[in-house]
Amino acid sequence: MFSLSIVVPVLNEAILLPSFLRQTTDDLESGGLDWELILVNDGSTDRSLEIMREFAEGHERVEVIDLGANHGPGANLLQAYNLASKQFCCYATVDRFYDTRLLPELMEHFNEYD
């Protein structure tokens, strides 16, 4: 079984966060992966940080990093990648541009390629 860290930068995503968190963790659980979700608050001024922290309290595989201010995509991703502890790491966005339902199936192909 492969293990996967998913890093997610967050900036003022309170409207989308609840559904993203539910759907993504459901996708990963149903896919049978060893996973962790690393959420990076990049200076949100809405309820994003509060939503992430509340969700993480009930999910031991979810970690929240608060940068305290907006540092931009380079800094927030660097923080998340530095904490990633699984065999593989990928990036996701709260708007679900990347379909996390596909991750378990895609990871099965790692054995086929070097």
Side-chain angles (χ1 to χ4, degrees):
M1 174 191 330
F2 294 108
S3 63
L4 179 65
S5 297
I6 301 176
V7 300
V8 183
V10 178
L11 177 61
N12 296 329
E13 302 279 3
I15 292 171
L16 299 175
L17 261 170
S19 62
F20 167 80
L21 293 168
R22 275 191 312 274
Q23 186 63 51
T24 299
T25 54
D26 287 350
D27 291 345
L28 296 168
E29 283 294 328
S30 66
L33 296 174
D34 174 23
W35 59 272
E36 67 183 352
L37 183 63
I38 303 171
L39 305 165
V40 183
N41 182 54
D42 196 18
S44 295
T45 57
D46 64 1
R47 292 189 59 245
S48 293
L49 180 59
E50 179 184 345
I51 292 167
M52 289 185 289
R53 285 182 171 159
E54 287 174 4
F55 190 84
E57 284 179 11
H59 296 84
E60 64 183 35
R61 295 180 182 198
V62 179
E63 183 166 351
V64 177
I65 303 167
D66 181 19
L67 298 183
N70 184 272
H71 295 279
N76 63 40
L77 289 174
L78 178 62
Q79 292 292 324
Y81 285 128
N82 282 334
L83 286 177
S85 65
K86 301 300 181 182
Q87 182 180 11
F88 296 99
C89 190
C90 73
Y91 166 87
T93 58
V94 177
D95 65 0
R96 297 193 40 80
F97 182 79
Y98 304 107
D99 189 348
T100 52
R101 288 177 301 175
L102 301 175
L103 288 171
E105 180 182 337
L106 291 172
M107 292 188 72
E108 291 176 14
H109 296 287
F110 284 152
N111 287 329
E112 298 174 32
Y113 303 100
D114 236 352

